[in-house]
Amino acid sequence: MQKNPILWVFGKECDTLKMMVYRLYLLAVSANTSANKGGFDVKDTYRTKPAGIIASIVFKQNFTEGRFHIMKKSIQIFTLCLSLLSGVTLSAQAYYSSYLPDYYQIEKGSQLSIESNMPISVARVSQIDTVDKKQNTGSSTSVMQLKMLGFIPIKAVAVDEIDELSVALGGDNFGIKIFTSGVMVVGMTQVDSEQGAINPAKNAGIQTGDIILTINGQSVSSNEEVAKIIEESNGEEMTFYMQREEKNFTVKFRALRSLTDQKYKAGLWVRDSSAGIGTMTFYNPITGIYAGLGHAICDVDTGLVLPLSSGEIVGAQINSINKSFDGTTGELCGSFTSETLGDLQMNCELGVYGALLHPETSQNIVKIALKQEVHTGSAQIYTTVDNEAPRYYDCEIQKIVYHNTKTQNMVVKITDTELLEKTGGIVQGMSGSPIVQDGKLVAALTHVFVNDPQCGYAVFAENMYNQSLAVETKKAS
């Protein structure tokens, strides 16, 4: 039986090339009909006749080109995949390098472990020893290399070994009374003088937010003192010793007589004190050092941190609650009691700190979670929104931020239906409320999102604890 010429020439190869060779085959049959009157043999035609030879050459050339084309495409795909993999790797490397902190603390005898979506390993690189000659003590800091997938370097971080951190859990409301160091300029106004509406203080270079430390060499700490000195100046030149962003400077100017009340004025509004209600985060039952609020007490007009001269914390009683809703922040409405709880020694971006007069030693003692132990997911806020004892309410840690901020370390959402019914979410006065996760104190509530009052920021408890050590050091000295 005569063989099918297409299958004989190409077998099961590419159909497109088959058709090309088949057309050459038909030409060969047509051109050699007279030479094959006794019958046509495909093998003879393919091997010996000119058209058959041409078909063989064309087939081999196209087959080779096809194989080369496939190989070229494979290399291109492989190169593209390799480029994409390199891009993803470099992006992940850059992300974790900026996302993860440069400094960690770990408990003595433990290993640094970092939870993330990508496996991150830790390897010790070196150790830096330091000696405090005054205290005759020494310490060491390890330098460790973080690696992604066990071999891709991320960055080197400093790691200190510390003792276990344990504190008494707060959650109680307290009143805060703060008196500033000097007086803060919170507003400027024109003086209606004989020369016209003029602001002599502004013309001399004084700005809102500046701190007045002395006038004519006399220290000032109250609004009344500032007003008296200016009124008694009788238009003589005065020397103001000022502070702006921790830099001191001097200005000189003359007050102007107001046509309204015939008193000399400088055109300044100043503030010498502030008061409010917050929540205690924790305290040390041994030393009595406490931490609360989680953020600084700032001037309501300028938004600047009030410089602390002295202050105290007192008992507070909650009378009512103004609930939060979208666009409006609620508050705990209360009053101060006559009971003094302790002094106020520090007002900074991480909260208020001082010493309790009578710290309780039988309170709820909890461990402080180090920042690498905190994770997204369910947690509880321990707070007081009435005149009863603090209670646990459910919340969720939605996001954790390590870098570029000391205070806004995580986003927290209130999920407890009872608390939402009482407050509508986070309200003023809840700042400092401790957040507990896995049985450890992880953070303190600090701010509310005005347009979404169920959510707000929180600060790592570890950061607040480290700040409290400065007060302990000051107390010891």
Side-chain angles (χ1 to χ4, degrees), residues 220-252:
V220 291
S221 57
S222 69
N223 304 344
E224 293 78 14
E225 288 177 344
V226 173
K228 182 179 179 181
I229 294 174
I230 293 174
E231 289 174 6
E232 294 178 352
S233 68
N234 294 320
E236 298 294 324
E237 185 178 71
M238 299 177 294
T239 301
F240 282 62
Y241 186 56
M242 314 286 296
Q243 184 180 78
R244 180 185 301 160
E245 296 179 353
E246 300 184 356
K247 294 182 180 180
N248 296 341
F249 62 98
T250 300
V251 297
K252 296 181 179 182

Side-chain angles (χ1 to χ4, degrees), residues 112-243:
L112 177 61
S113 177
I114 300 174
E115 293 187 8
S116 68
N117 295 327
M118 185 76 69
I120 296 177
S121 60
V122 181
R124 186 185 300 272
V125 176
S126 62
Q127 184 169 300
I128 302 173
D129 297 319
T130 57
V131 177
D132 188 336
K133 295 182 179 180
K134 292 183 178 180
Q135 300 293 331
N136 194 28
T137 58
S139 61
S140 62
T141 299
S142 297
V143 178
M144 296 189 177
Q145 179 69 51
L146 304 184
K147 294 183 179 181
M148 188 170 57
L149 300 175
F151 66 94
I152 302 173
I154 299 175
K155 66 176 177 180
V157 297
V159 180
D160 281 336
E161 289 190 358
I162 60 172
D163 294 324
E164 179 181 285
L165 306 181
S166 296
V167 294
L169 196 63
D172 294 297
N173 303 125
F174 64 96
I176 305 167
K177 297 179 181 179
I178 181 173
F179 301 96
T180 62
S181 176
V183 295
M184 174 178 283
V185 178
V186 297
M188 313 284 281
T189 185
Q190 303 279 50
V191 179
D192 55 333
S193 67
E194 293 180 351
Q195 294 88 353
I198 301 173
N199 189 319
K202 183 177 181 180
N203 293 342
I206 295 178
Q207 300 177 9
T208 300
D210 289 348
I211 308 297
I212 303 174
L213 301 174
T214 67
I215 303 176
N216 294 334
Q218 179 180 340
S219 297
V220 291
S221 57
S222 69
N223 304 344
E224 293 78 14
E225 288 177 344
V226 173
K228 182 179 179 181
I229 294 174
I230 293 174
E231 289 174 6
E232 294 178 352
S233 68
N234 294 320
E236 298 294 324
E237 185 178 71
M238 299 177 294
T239 301
F240 282 62
Y241 186 56
M242 314 286 296
Q243 184 180 78

Side-chain angles (χ1 to χ4, degrees), residues 377-389:
S378 61
Q380 289 184 306
I381 183 171
Y382 191 61
T383 191
T384 304
V385 293
D386 46 36
N387 289 318
E388 300 179 2

Side-chain angles (χ1 to χ4, degrees), residues 4 29 43 88 92 102 122 124 165 169 197 223 229 245 312 328 339 350 357 367 372 376 378 384 401 456 459:
N4 186 316
V29 172
K43 290 185 179 180
V88 171
D102 299 320
V122 181
R124 186 185 300 272
L165 306 181
L169 196 63
N223 304 344
I229 294 174
E245 296 179 353
E312 63 180 4
T328 301
E339 180 186 10
L350 289 171
L357 295 178
K367 290 180 62 176
Q372 64 271 18
T376 56
S378 61
T384 304
V401 180
V459 57

Side-chain angles (χ1 to χ4, degrees), residues 418-465:
E418 183 179 352
L419 183 59
L420 291 173
E421 179 63 28
K422 289 181 178 180
T423 64
I426 301 170
V427 297
Q428 294 181 15
M430 289 174 62
S431 294
S433 298
I435 297 173
V436 177
Q437 184 182 63
D438 301 332
K440 295 183 179 182
L441 174 60
V442 299
L445 195 65
T446 59
H447 297 82
V448 58
F449 294 170
V450 176
N451 293 323
D452 186 8
Q454 293 186 31
C455 299
Y457 286 119
V459 57
F460 285 133
E462 176 187 356
N463 291 354
M464 292 185 68
Y465 181 87

Side-chain angles (χ1 to χ4, degrees), residues 50-78:
I53 295 174
I54 293 173
S56 175
I57 294 172
V58 172
F59 158 68
K60 290 181 179 180
Q61 180 178 353
N62 282 277
F63 180 75
T64 303
E65 289 178 355
R67 291 287 296 275
F68 176 76
H69 179 72
I70 294 173
M71 184 178 294
K72 182 179 179 181
K73 284 292 185 182
S74 299
I75 294 174
Q76 289 175 343
I77 293 173
F78 176 77

